[in-house]
Amino acid sequence: MTHKADEKTGERVEELRALIRHHDRLYYELDAPEISDAEYDRLFRELTELEVRFGLATPDSPTQRVGGEPLEGFSTVAHAVPMMSLDNVASEEELRDFDRRVHERLDKEAGGADYGPVDYVTEPKVDGLAVELIYEERVLSVAATRGDGITGEDVTHNVRTIRTVPLALTGADAPLLLEVRGEVYLRKRDFARLNEQRDQRGEPPFANPRNAAAGSIRQLDPKIAAARPLAVFCYGVGRVEGFEFETQSQALAKLQEWGLPVNPLRQKCSTIEEVAARYRELLEAREKLPYEVDGLVVKVDRLDLQQRLGATTRFPRWAVAFKFPAHLARTRVKEIRVQVGRTGALTPVAILEPVQVAGVTVTRATLHNEDEVKRKDIREGDTVLIERAGDVIPKVVRVITEEREGTETCFEMPQACPVCNAAAERTPDEVVSRCPNISCPARVKETIVHFASRSGLDIEGLGDKVVTKLLDEGFIRDPADLFSLGERRAEMAGLAGFGERSVDNLLGAIERGKKTTLARFVYSLGIRHVGLRIAQVLALRFKTPEELRKAVELQDAALVPERERLEDIPEVGPKIAKSLTLFFGDRKNSDLFDSLVEELEVEAPKEAEPSSGIAGRVFVFTGRLESMTREEAQELVRAKGGRVG
Ligand code: IVH
């Protein structure tokens, strides 16, 4: 039951919302937090409590960002104005060439007439993922990824969870339609914290903040995005109705006035030499910035000149990205080891003498595969140049061959799996060698870790270390064994490093993992080429594990009517279809599948929301509504796929 709020409560709620927005901005945009995380949480809790108690929640409250229900798939959004990317320059000389081209083209365009000054705006090129936010009637209605520039994916559910993205624009002159472009990114510190958490859960780290941001924004479950501290900087506009911008710098200032986050490090420059100086300044400051910046974006300020300059098929002629050099360091390869992955892939990894690159200690670099090692001729004992492009896992750029002493040893890909000794296989069309033994302890371990991972059955606490221990001590041999661990609770609790409490937590998490969706289950099996997306496609198509299995077996028997061939399912294709038949054709896998189906409670995918008669239609609200505010009603219509006029 909700209570009636008095005036003071209403004021406090408003005050808390303003405070939270203020602190979000201090943290994400200005990098100058004034309160601790705990104090922030306190404000947030107080607001949530008041809203719940007095029924005061509004759609634009900071508390309303935490995600709703997961989606079954993304729908696509067409960009009204294509989202282009930028041409690069790599030196001051190339930057001056760009400036020269701009002037030459404008001269030609103007045919001798004076076109006035050409100022530039410079902005840090933040390394993240481009998105478009659409505000209709000043309310955030759609957010989409850049995609191929023409159409992107609808990620509104996730973008709504980003704290500094206003759910509604403020300011009397905010336009009725505004399409804003910006970059979704993760701050370095938040990125490091996210990877620490993943490590604790036994999940693989994200390679760099860009991948982490992209992975988060492309999650079907908005709760996952909400749990990641994403941020945005807006840097441009698409379609606008109800406002005329004259310059890029004015547009950025206006976006900020209307409540959108804009990078405070933008700067207007009146000559290309000033731009070059700004580049050097920013490069100097790069390491100290709280987010990854990979260059300086330079744009002609006046929009009329931008229009005159136009674009090639790929890039605008009025802007360019002046890229920063990669983060490089020199170190020595102590040893080349071979790791065995879940699919049996044997990956050579360089173990390095620890070295600092861009503020991080690097101790290993992936060498990808045998051919890559040969091509770069990387030997044990070599001095190498490594690059970390904001990446956690660095690459070897090249060997410094001048420093060879003759004692270096060439790498030979082992002919046998380094863990189980099975003869390694390499098919002519592949670059990787594989351990073919599906019972190889290394593969089994990775398979179980994958099975329990966040996108799989999501069994908390069942990461690399715990799985290794359970395997070593003979408690499990395959994923199905996890579900009979309860019978050996006392024995497990006696193991060093476990203890009653952690065993109970683990058993509880395993129990909770039993209740899952078909998509998660299919993904968790680790079938080659069947990632999250394909697992979802298969789940939607077949609805139950039994139906999926039947469909795959039918293929095998070549009894399938044309229309039901797996490979004809959009997005599946022959490669994945073959991988599925190979998987189920293996007796061990198919037995495992059966025992898992028996243990698990696999939920059928929800049908796409039955068309409520609202989807696609336009609704106009006027006057006062009885049971909700106008904004709430509009939200509701949008949530059901309708449009608000
Ligand atoms: S302007 C037509 N400004 O860099 C103008 N892009 O290669 C297109 N980016 O896809 C983009 N910061 O993801 C622009 N201040 C900024 C940017 C920026 C980062 C990204 C963006 C874009 C890519 C261009």
Side-chain angles (χ1 to χ4, degrees):
M1 202 185 95
T2 54
H3 302 261
K4 190 150 172 44
D6 57 15
E7 200 173 309
K8 249 175 61 202
T9 311
E11 277 169 17
R12 178 65 182 155
V13 162
E14 275 313 317
E15 182 183 23
L16 285 166
R17 286 178 189 159
L19 270 171
I20 289 169
R21 289 190 189 111
H22 170 71
H23 289 297
D24 282 338
R25 195 169 121 75
L26 286 177
Y27 182 84
Y28 288 103
E29 284 170 60
L30 305 175
D31 192 33
E34 284 173 359
I35 59 173
S36 67
D37 289 359
E39 281 172 274
Y40 179 92
D41 289 344
R42 234 180 345 259
L43 293 177
F44 208 90
R45 251 196 325 269
E46 187 187 344
L47 176 60
T48 313
E49 274 167 23
L50 289 179
E51 285 182 347
V52 171
R53 192 141 149 240
F54 297 104
L56 291 175
T58 55
D60 66 344
S61 169
T63 59
Q64 299 306 298
R65 292 180 186 273
V66 267
E69 288 301 302
L71 307 181
E72 286 291 353
F74 293 107
S75 48
T76 54
V77 174
H79 301 296
V81 181
M83 289 180 77
M84 283 195 280
S85 70
L86 293 172
D87 204 359
N88 293 325
V89 295
S91 64
E92 293 196 4
E93 200 180 320
E94 287 181 18
L95 176 71
R96 290 189 194 101
D97 286 343
F98 161 74
D99 178 55
R100 200 168 313 123
R101 285 195 304 273
V102 163
H103 280 95
E104 278 168 10
R105 194 154 186 115
L106 288 173
D107 288 342
K108 215 165 92 194
E109 271 286 315
D114 183 17
Y115 50 81
V118 183
D119 293 331
Y120 291 107
V121 174
T122 61
E123 301 157 17
K125 186 168 187 298
V126 175
D127 198 12
L129 174 85
V131 290
E132 176 164 76
L133 316 176
I134 305 179
Y135 287 86
E136 288 176 287
E137 309 259 315
R138 303 190 180 125
V139 174
L140 176 66
S141 61
V142 175
T145 60
R146 172 172 178 269
D148 61 4
I150 307 292
T151 39
E153 283 171 331
D154 185 335
V155 289
T156 316
H157 59 299
N158 289 335
V159 168
R160 279 182 59 90
T161 69
I162 303 177
R163 300 188 163 279
T164 55
V165 169
L167 299 175
L169 299 178
T170 50
D173 61 349
L176 287 181
L177 174 72
L178 178 67
E179 295 179 352
V180 196
R181 276 90 191 266
E183 196 83 354
V184 173
Y185 67 95
L186 265 174
R187 298 153 49 90
K188 291 175 190 164
R189 204 179 77 179
D190 292 332
F191 169 69
R193 215 180 283 165
L194 176 61
N195 267 352
E196 262 163 43
Q197 289 165 0
R198 289 178 71 83
D199 187 50
Q200 278 161 14
R201 287 197 297 254
E203 294 164 4
F206 284 113
N208 52 49
R210 174 173 19 90
N211 286 1
S216 310
I217 216 71
R218 295 190 63 260
Q219 283 287 340
L220 288 170
D221 185 349
K223 291 202 182 68
I224 297 180
R228 304 212 177 135
L230 295 166
V232 180
F233 278 130
C234 295
Y235 55 67
V237 292
R239 202 159 45 132
V240 186
E241 280 167 24
F243 198 94
E244 290 274 335
F245 296 113
E246 285 177 3
T247 61
Q248 167 73 6
S249 45
Q250 176 212 18
L252 294 179
K254 276 289 166 195
L255 294 181
Q256 183 157 24
E257 255 180 67
W258 298 330
L260 290 156
V262 179
N263 197 316
L265 298 177
R266 63 187 183 277
Q267 198 172 77
K268 200 164 145 173
C269 298
S270 49
T271 64
I272 205 68
E273 293 312 317
E274 258 179 57
V275 172
R278 180 63 182 160
Y279 172 87
R280 292 189 291 264
E281 232 170 62
L282 200 66
L283 183 56
E284 185 79 13
R286 178 188 196 183
E287 302 302 344
K288 292 190 247 34
L289 293 177
Y291 40 81
E292 290 289 345
V293 170
D294 57 352
L296 185 74
V297 180
V298 185
K299 300 174 182 167
V300 168
D301 193 27
R302 274 168 49 193
L303 302 188
D304 62 321
L305 297 184
Q306 288 188 2
Q307 195 131 53
R308 284 202 212 180
L309 287 160
T312 68
T313 49
R314 289 166 59 211
F315 310 120
R317 291 199 192 87
W318 44 265
V320 81
F322 190 176
K323 285 296 211 47
F324 285 161
H327 293 290
L328 297 176
R330 276 168 42 120
T331 187
R332 213 178 58 89
V333 177
K334 292 201 291 196
E335 184 193 344
I336 298 177
R337 271 189 215 158
V338 174
Q339 277 180 354
V340 188
R342 175 167 54 83
T343 60
L346 303 183
T347 310
V349 175
I351 308 299
L352 306 168
E353 228 139 61
V355 62
Q356 287 276 318
V357 200
V360 171
T361 309
V362 170
T363 56
R364 50 209 289 143
T366 171
L367 301 175
H368 302 291
N369 55 58
E370 186 180 4
D371 291 4
E372 176 89 355
V373 183
K374 286 231 173 73
R375 193 171 60 77
K376 291 187 173 162
D377 188 21
I378 302 166
R379 305 178 188 175
E380 287 181 332
D382 266 339
T383 302
V384 290
L385 201 61
I386 62 167
E387 174 186 340
R388 209 179 72 94
D391 297 12
V392 170
I393 307 158
K395 294 187 268 286
V396 172
V397 181
R398 66 178 174 89
V399 174
I400 306 180
T401 43
E402 307 85 64
E403 303 203 2
R404 282 218 171 122
E405 292 169 352
T407 52
E408 298 76 14
T409 43
C410 286
F411 170 74
E412 285 293 335
M413 196 69 186
Q415 297 301 306
C417 167
V419 175
C420 75
N421 226 8
E425 287 174 2
R426 182 173 163 176
T427 49
D429 58 333
E430 273 201 323
V431 285
V432 284
S433 301
R434 286 176 198 281
C435 164
N437 173 14
I438 56 168
S439 311
C440 167
R443 291 188 58 178
V444 171
K445 185 193 83 185
E446 297 295 337
T447 302
I448 300 175
V449 169
H450 175 81
F451 179 77
S453 69
R454 188 78 183 255
S455 302
L457 261 58
D458 195 13
I459 303 176
E460 211 181 317
L462 198 61
D464 204 281
K465 286 194 197 106
V466 175
V467 171
T468 304
K469 182 139 206 157
L470 291 175
L471 280 168
D472 288 352
E473 302 285 340
F475 283 92
I476 52 173
R477 280 155 308 164
D478 66 29
D481 289 342
L482 292 170
F483 302 107
S484 47
L485 276 178
E487 296 157 18
R488 302 176 68 181
R489 183 183 166 277
E491 251 179 287
M492 276 169 70
L495 278 186
F498 268 136
E500 303 261 334
R501 245 200 45 217
S502 53
V503 168
D504 285 342
N505 285 345
L506 182 62
L507 293 176
I510 293 173
E511 198 55 36
R512 285 192 298 281
K514 281 186 178 175
K515 205 168 163 220
T516 191
T517 62
L518 182 56
R520 280 176 178 276
F521 173 49
V522 171
Y523 171 80
S524 77
L525 295 170
I527 304 168
R528 274 186 77 195
H529 310 302
V530 179
L532 276 177
R533 173 80 202 142
I534 296 301
Q536 269 149 4
V537 169
L538 293 171
L540 271 180
R541 171 71 173 236
F542 295 108
K543 309 284 193 281
T544 66
E546 292 77 14
E547 283 303 309
L548 170 64
R549 184 196 180 111
K550 226 162 59 197
V552 177
E553 277 165 1
L554 270 177
Q555 315 283 314
D556 221 14
L559 293 171
V560 243
E562 187 89 357
R563 267 181 39 247
E564 283 167 30
R565 289 198 327 211
L566 274 176
E567 62 177 81
D568 293 335
I569 301 174
E571 293 186 67
V572 173
K575 190 167 86 180
I576 296 171
K578 176 144 180 256
S579 177
L580 283 163
T581 46
L582 272 178
F583 181 88
F584 282 96
D586 189 310
R587 180 63 191 275
K588 247 181 159 159
N589 290 335
S590 99
D591 288 349
L592 175 67
F593 185 87
D594 289 343
S595 31
L596 287 174
V597 170
E598 221 158 88
E599 290 292 346
L600 301 176
E601 218 179 293
V602 182
E603 212 177 280
K606 283 187 218 78
E607 287 293 336
E609 183 122 316
S611 116
S612 48
I614 284 186
R617 298 188 142 177
V618 180
F619 285 74
V620 180
F621 294 95
T622 55
R624 258 180 76 104
L625 303 181
E626 230 167 63
S627 60
M628 55 182 98
T629 66
R630 226 176 331 165
E631 284 72 27
E632 282 168 331
Q634 290 171 344
E635 267 298 299
L636 206 62
V637 166
R638 287 198 190 95
K640 297 214 175 289
R643 289 174 73 85
V644 174

